[in-house]
Amino acid sequence: MASVADRRLAVVMTTIDGEVRRPPTENVLQLGRAMGVDEHATKTLGELATHNRLLTRIDLTRRLMGRFLGDAWRDEKWTGVRKMVAPLLDVDEEPEVSLRYKKLGLLAPGTLGREFWEHCTARGFPFPR
């Protein structure tokens, strides 16, 4: 009998070439049903096989954010959740720290701080908030 690890391997193998096709996906779904296991990976695989990429992105984002927010809540309660959500809402989590990074852009050209600021700014890397 196939194990959960076998089914997960089947999911990976179905996606390995970068294109998810219906026939192999249906085989994995049948394997999951035969095992009586309902796992998110097979649902996502089915969404990819039907070329429903938007639904796949929404579903993955919802599950990942739920997991991360759950971990943040468990570890730090509202403080942890605020740290996770603040960058998404474009809110300064720690205004003093944010201001210190912004001031790096005011340093003299050629200084380490100014070069760091220019490097991050040119590449769109966000500073701590």
PDB file of all heavy atoms in Angstrom, residues 2-22:
ATOM      1  N   ALA A   2       0.462   2.254  -0.714  1.00  0.00           N
ATOM      2  CA  ALA A   2       1.232   3.491  -0.834  1.00  0.00           C
ATOM      3  C   ALA A   2       1.117   4.308   0.449  1.00  0.00           C
ATOM      4  O   ALA A   2       0.076   4.368   1.072  1.00  0.00           O
ATOM      5  CB  ALA A   2       0.732   4.305  -2.013  1.00  0.00           C
ATOM      6  N   SER A   3       2.208   4.935   0.818  1.00  0.00           N
ATOM      7  CA  SER A   3       2.217   5.785   1.999  1.00  0.00           C
ATOM      8  C   SER A   3       1.954   7.233   1.589  1.00  0.00           C
ATOM      9  O   SER A   3       1.936   7.574   0.408  1.00  0.00           O
ATOM     10  CB  SER A   3       3.576   5.688   2.698  1.00  0.00           C
ATOM     11  OG  SER A   3       4.568   6.291   1.887  1.00  0.00           O
ATOM     12  N   VAL A   4       1.779   8.090   2.599  1.00  0.00           N
ATOM     13  CA  VAL A   4       1.603   9.518   2.331  1.00  0.00           C
ATOM     14  C   VAL A   4       2.854  10.061   1.640  1.00  0.00           C
ATOM     15  O   VAL A   4       2.767  10.877   0.720  1.00  0.00           O
ATOM     16  CB  VAL A   4       1.304  10.287   3.642  1.00  0.00           C
ATOM     17  CG1 VAL A   4       1.287  11.784   3.398  1.00  0.00           C
ATOM     18  CG2 VAL A   4      -0.024   9.831   4.232  1.00  0.00           C
ATOM     19  N   ALA A   5       4.022   9.581   2.047  1.00  0.00           N
ATOM     20  CA  ALA A   5       5.269  10.013   1.411  1.00  0.00           C
ATOM     21  C   ALA A   5       5.287   9.612  -0.063  1.00  0.00           C
ATOM     22  O   ALA A   5       5.746  10.384  -0.912  1.00  0.00           O
ATOM     23  CB  ALA A   5       6.473   9.422   2.137  1.00  0.00           C
ATOM     24  N   ASP A   6       4.768   8.423  -0.374  1.00  0.00           N
ATOM     25  CA  ASP A   6       4.689   7.989  -1.776  1.00  0.00           C
ATOM     26  C   ASP A   6       3.798   8.931  -2.579  1.00  0.00           C
ATOM     27  O   ASP A   6       4.100   9.285  -3.707  1.00  0.00           O
ATOM     28  CB  ASP A   6       4.143   6.566  -1.880  1.00  0.00           C
ATOM     29  CG  ASP A   6       5.081   5.524  -1.300  1.00  0.00           C
ATOM     30  OD1 ASP A   6       6.300   5.765  -1.290  1.00  0.00           O
ATOM     31  OD2 ASP A   6       4.585   4.466  -0.854  1.00  0.00           O
ATOM     32  N   ARG A   7       2.677   9.333  -1.976  1.00  0.00           N
ATOM     33  CA  ARG A   7       1.759  10.216  -2.677  1.00  0.00           C
ATOM     34  C   ARG A   7       2.362  11.597  -2.868  1.00  0.00           C
ATOM     35  O   ARG A   7       2.216  12.207  -3.905  1.00  0.00           O
ATOM     36  CB  ARG A   7       0.435  10.299  -1.935  1.00  0.00           C
ATOM     37  CG  ARG A   7      -0.654  10.858  -2.828  1.00  0.00           C
ATOM     38  CD  ARG A   7      -2.011  10.581  -2.315  1.00  0.00           C
ATOM     39  NE  ARG A   7      -2.674  11.557  -1.511  1.00  0.00           N
ATOM     40  CZ  ARG A   7      -2.225  12.519  -0.742  1.00  0.00           C
ATOM     41  NH1 ARG A   7      -1.011  12.715  -0.585  1.00  0.00           N
ATOM     42  NH2 ARG A   7      -2.970  13.324  -0.084  1.00  0.00           N
ATOM     43  N   ARG A   8       3.082  12.053  -1.882  1.00  0.00           N
ATOM     44  CA  ARG A   8       3.755  13.348  -2.026  1.00  0.00           C
ATOM     45  C   ARG A   8       4.820  13.285  -3.114  1.00  0.00           C
ATOM     46  O   ARG A   8       4.985  14.221  -3.881  1.00  0.00           O
ATOM     47  CB  ARG A   8       4.375  13.782  -0.695  1.00  0.00           C
ATOM     48  CG  ARG A   8       3.315  14.202   0.304  1.00  0.00           C
ATOM     49  CD  ARG A   8       3.908  14.672   1.597  1.00  0.00           C
ATOM     50  NE  ARG A   8       2.845  15.052   2.517  1.00  0.00           N
ATOM     51  CZ  ARG A   8       3.019  15.199   3.807  1.00  0.00           C
ATOM     52  NH1 ARG A   8       4.208  15.010   4.348  1.00  0.00           N
ATOM     53  NH2 ARG A   8       2.001  15.544   4.583  1.00  0.00           N
ATOM     54  N   LEU A   9       5.521  12.164  -3.166  1.00  0.00           N
ATOM     55  CA  LEU A   9       6.501  11.979  -4.234  1.00  0.00           C
ATOM     56  C   LEU A   9       5.805  11.973  -5.588  1.00  0.00           C
ATOM     57  O   LEU A   9       6.306  12.550  -6.559  1.00  0.00           O
ATOM     58  CB  LEU A   9       7.285  10.679  -4.029  1.00  0.00           C
ATOM     59  CG  LEU A   9       8.331  10.361  -5.087  1.00  0.00           C
ATOM     60  CD1 LEU A   9       9.369  11.476  -5.173  1.00  0.00           C
ATOM     61  CD2 LEU A   9       8.999   9.033  -4.791  1.00  0.00           C
ATOM     62  N   ALA A  10       4.623  11.354  -5.660  1.00  0.00           N
ATOM     63  CA  ALA A  10       3.864  11.341  -6.913  1.00  0.00           C
ATOM     64  C   ALA A  10       3.482  12.765  -7.326  1.00  0.00           C
ATOM     65  O   ALA A  10       3.528  13.110  -8.509  1.00  0.00           O
ATOM     66  CB  ALA A  10       2.615  10.467  -6.768  1.00  0.00           C
ATOM     67  N   VAL A  11       3.116  13.600  -6.361  1.00  0.00           N
ATOM     68  CA  VAL A  11       2.779  14.996  -6.652  1.00  0.00           C
ATOM     69  C   VAL A  11       4.003  15.708  -7.212  1.00  0.00           C
ATOM     70  O   VAL A  11       3.927  16.405  -8.232  1.00  0.00           O
ATOM     71  CB  VAL A  11       2.251  15.725  -5.386  1.00  0.00           C
ATOM     72  CG1 VAL A  11       2.160  17.222  -5.621  1.00  0.00           C
ATOM     73  CG2 VAL A  11       0.900  15.156  -4.982  1.00  0.00           C
ATOM     74  N   VAL A  12       5.138  15.529  -6.568  1.00  0.00           N
ATOM     75  CA  VAL A  12       6.369  16.176  -7.035  1.00  0.00           C
ATOM     76  C   VAL A  12       6.719  15.705  -8.441  1.00  0.00           C
ATOM     77  O   VAL A  12       7.048  16.507  -9.321  1.00  0.00           O
ATOM     78  CB  VAL A  12       7.534  15.903  -6.049  1.00  0.00           C
ATOM     79  CG1 VAL A  12       8.863  16.347  -6.637  1.00  0.00           C
ATOM     80  CG2 VAL A  12       7.277  16.601  -4.719  1.00  0.00           C
ATOM     81  N   MET A  13       6.658  14.421  -8.668  1.00  0.00           N
ATOM     82  CA  MET A  13       7.020  13.876  -9.979  1.00  0.00           C
ATOM     83  C   MET A  13       6.075  14.379 -11.073  1.00  0.00           C
ATOM     84  O   MET A  13       6.478  14.550 -12.215  1.00  0.00           O
ATOM     85  CB  MET A  13       7.039  12.346  -9.946  1.00  0.00           C
ATOM     86  CG  MET A  13       8.133  11.781  -9.049  1.00  0.00           C
ATOM     87  SD  MET A  13       9.784  12.412  -9.429  1.00  0.00           S
ATOM     88  CE  MET A  13      10.024  11.776 -11.070  1.00  0.00           C
ATOM     89  N   THR A  14       4.821  14.633 -10.728  1.00  0.00           N
ATOM     90  CA  THR A  14       3.854  15.137 -11.700  1.00  0.00           C
ATOM     91  C   THR A  14       4.181  16.558 -12.118  1.00  0.00           C
ATOM     92  O   THR A  14       3.848  16.980 -13.216  1.00  0.00           O
ATOM     93  CB  THR A  14       2.428  15.060 -11.101  1.00  0.00           C
ATOM     94  OG1 THR A  14       2.183  13.714 -10.706  1.00  0.00           O
ATOM     95  CG2 THR A  14       1.376  15.470 -12.087  1.00  0.00           C
ATOM     96  N   THR A  15       4.855  17.302 -11.267  1.00  0.00           N
ATOM     97  CA  THR A  15       5.159  18.704 -11.557  1.00  0.00           C
ATOM     98  C   THR A  15       6.604  18.942 -11.976  1.00  0.00           C
ATOM     99  O   THR A  15       6.970  20.057 -12.300  1.00  0.00           O
ATOM    100  CB  THR A  15       4.877  19.583 -10.319  1.00  0.00           C
ATOM    101  OG1 THR A  15       5.737  19.170  -9.258  1.00  0.00           O
ATOM    102  CG2 THR A  15       3.438  19.472  -9.880  1.00  0.00           C
ATOM    103  N   ILE A  16       7.412  17.923 -11.987  1.00  0.00           N
ATOM    104  CA  ILE A  16       8.858  18.099 -12.121  1.00  0.00           C
ATOM    105  C   ILE A  16       9.297  18.739 -13.432  1.00  0.00           C
ATOM    106  O   ILE A  16      10.276  19.466 -13.474  1.00  0.00           O
ATOM    107  CB  ILE A  16       9.600  16.761 -11.885  1.00  0.00           C
ATOM    108  CG1 ILE A  16      11.050  17.022 -11.526  1.00  0.00           C
ATOM    109  CG2 ILE A  16       9.549  15.865 -13.091  1.00  0.00           C
ATOM    110  CD1 ILE A  16      11.390  16.637 -10.158  1.00  0.00           C
ATOM    111  N   ASP A  17       8.553  18.499 -14.510  1.00  0.00           N
ATOM    112  CA  ASP A  17       8.978  19.075 -15.794  1.00  0.00           C
ATOM    113  C   ASP A  17       8.431  20.479 -16.013  1.00  0.00           C
ATOM    114  O   ASP A  17       8.645  21.079 -17.057  1.00  0.00           O
ATOM    115  CB  ASP A  17       8.615  18.159 -16.955  1.00  0.00           C
ATOM    116  CG  ASP A  17       7.118  18.024 -17.172  1.00  0.00           C
ATOM    117  OD1 ASP A  17       6.348  18.570 -16.352  1.00  0.00           O
ATOM    118  OD2 ASP A  17       6.714  17.379 -18.146  1.00  0.00           O
ATOM    119  N   GLY A  18       7.720  21.006 -15.019  1.00  0.00           N
ATOM    120  CA  GLY A  18       7.241  22.379 -15.101  1.00  0.00           C
ATOM    121  C   GLY A  18       5.862  22.520 -15.718  1.00  0.00           C
ATOM    122  O   GLY A  18       5.283  23.593 -15.713  1.00  0.00           O
ATOM    123  N   GLU A  19       5.316  21.448 -16.254  1.00  0.00           N
ATOM    124  CA  GLU A  19       3.973  21.492 -16.829  1.00  0.00           C
ATOM    125  C   GLU A  19       3.136  20.404 -16.185  1.00  0.00           C
ATOM    126  O   GLU A  19       3.515  19.236 -16.174  1.00  0.00           O
ATOM    127  CB  GLU A  19       4.027  21.267 -18.343  1.00  0.00           C
ATOM    128  CG  GLU A  19       2.679  21.425 -18.999  1.00  0.00           C
ATOM    129  CD  GLU A  19       2.761  21.297 -20.507  1.00  0.00           C
ATOM    130  OE1 GLU A  19       3.862  21.392 -21.067  1.00  0.00           O
ATOM    131  OE2 GLU A  19       1.692  21.094 -21.119  1.00  0.00           O
ATOM    132  N   VAL A  20       1.999  20.801 -15.643  1.00  0.00           N
ATOM    133  CA  VAL A  20       1.128  19.842 -14.973  1.00  0.00           C
ATOM    134  C   VAL A  20       0.050  19.416 -15.962  1.00  0.00           C
ATOM    135  O   VAL A  20      -0.722  20.234 -16.446  1.00  0.00           O
ATOM    136  CB  VAL A  20       0.494  20.465 -13.707  1.00  0.00           C
ATOM    137  CG1 VAL A  20      -0.415  19.474 -13.021  1.00  0.00           C
ATOM    138  CG2 VAL A  20       1.579  20.948 -12.760  1.00  0.00           C
ATOM    139  N   ARG A  21       0.033  18.134 -16.267  1.00  0.00           N
ATOM    140  CA  ARG A  21      -0.928  17.593 -17.234  1.00  0.00           C
ATOM    141  C   ARG A  21      -2.024  16.819 -16.513  1.00  0.00           C
ATOM    142  O   ARG A  21      -1.818  16.290 -15.427  1.00  0.00           O
ATOM    143  CB  ARG A  21      -0.194  16.682 -18.220  1.00  0.00           C
ATOM    144  CG  ARG A  21       0.792  17.439 -19.083  1.00  0.00           C
ATOM    145  CD  ARG A  21       1.470  16.476 -20.084  1.00  0.00           C
ATOM    146  NE  ARG A  21       2.518  17.156 -20.801  1.00  0.00           N
ATOM    147  CZ  ARG A  21       3.783  17.257 -20.369  1.00  0.00           C
ATOM    148  NH1 ARG A  21       4.133  16.708 -19.227  1.00  0.00           N
ATOM    149  NH2 ARG A  21       4.683  17.893 -21.087  1.00  0.00           N
ATOM    150  N   ARG A  22      -3.175  16.749 -17.144  1.00  0.00           N
ATOM    151  CA  ARG A  22      -4.333  16.109 -16.513  1.00  0.00           C
ATOM    152  C   ARG A  22      -4.176  14.606 -16.270  1.00  0.00           C
ATOM    153  O   ARG A  22      -4.505  14.152 -15.178  1.00  0.00           O
ATOM    154  CB  ARG A  22      -5.593  16.375 -17.340  1.00  0.00           C
ATOM    155  CG  ARG A  22      -6.093  17.782 -17.157  1.00  0.00           C
ATOM    156  CD  ARG A  22      -7.407  17.983 -17.839  1.00  0.00           C
ATOM    157  NE  ARG A  22      -7.791  19.372 -17.727  1.00  0.00           N
ATOM    158  CZ  ARG A  22      -9.011  19.797 -17.896  1.00  0.00           C
ATOM    159  NH1 ARG A  22      -9.961  18.972 -18.224  1.00  0.00           N
ATOM    160  NH2 ARG A  22      -9.282  21.069 -17.768  1.00  0.00           N
TER     161      ARG A  22
END
